[in-house]
Amino acid sequence: MSTLSFLGRPVVAGMALLTAAAILGGCSGSQSGVTPQTSTQVPQARSPIVPNKNCTSQGHIKVSPCSVTLTVSAPTATVTVKTNKHNSVSEQDNCGGASGIATVTQNPTDPSQYIVAAGATTGSCSATFTATNKHGKVKGTATLSITNSV
């Protein structure tokens, strides 16, 4: 056995140990000279929208998203109803109004949007949007699932 290879092993092992310690040291703690910043802003609530969960629509109408979950941090949601420009849209729900699970109202500034707001009761309900042509013939329906966990 040569003296060089005998002495080289501890040196290589020591270098590997120092490299590992330097890598791990870089992953923990804060960098020196950098002052941590704090924010006084309230974090944005996560969207209560759950995309494409059990969507049901038939014909010339679609509601997007088709499912919303209302929470304490996000007690309202906006959904968009799309249909043929010649159709009119009506909405009917089993959510129970202001004292119930939720309210669903048309946005006064954008008639293609509806605002869903949590009521006083937790639970689930649904809203059905119906597209009707100018002759009163139903051209399609779409269902919005609503869960209130406030």
Side-chain angles (χ1 to χ4, degrees), residues 91-145:
E91 181 271 333
Q92 189 172 16
D93 62 70
N94 61 355
C95 298
S99 63
I101 296 170
T103 57
V104 180
T105 54
Q106 191 171 28
N107 184 340
T109 59
D110 184 350
S112 70
Q113 293 183 338
Y114 284 77
I115 300 166
V116 183
T121 307
T122 59
S124 297
C125 62
S126 62
T128 301
F129 298 91
T130 303
T132 309
N133 69 10
K134 64 182 179 181
H135 303 293
K137 182 176 179 185
V138 173
K139 300 303 281 184
T141 60
T143 303
L144 169 66
S145 298

Side-chain angles (χ1 to χ4, degrees), residues 19-68:
T19 302
I23 290 171
L24 291 175
C27 292
S28 64
S30 64
Q31 297 176 351
S32 61
V34 177
T35 305
Q37 296 181 1
T38 58
S39 173
T40 58
Q41 292 181 334
V42 176
Q44 291 290 329
R46 291 185 179 226
S47 174
I49 296 170
V50 179
N52 301 326
K53 180 183 176 186
N54 301 322
C55 294
T56 58
S57 66
Q58 298 171 348
H60 298 254
I61 191 167
K62 188 172 257 186
V63 61
S64 178
C66 64
S67 179
V68 295

Side-chain angles (χ1 to χ4, degrees), residues 75-86:
T76 62
T78 302
V79 298
T80 302
V81 178
K82 295 180 182 178
T83 187
N84 182 314
K85 67 180 179 178
H86 302 291

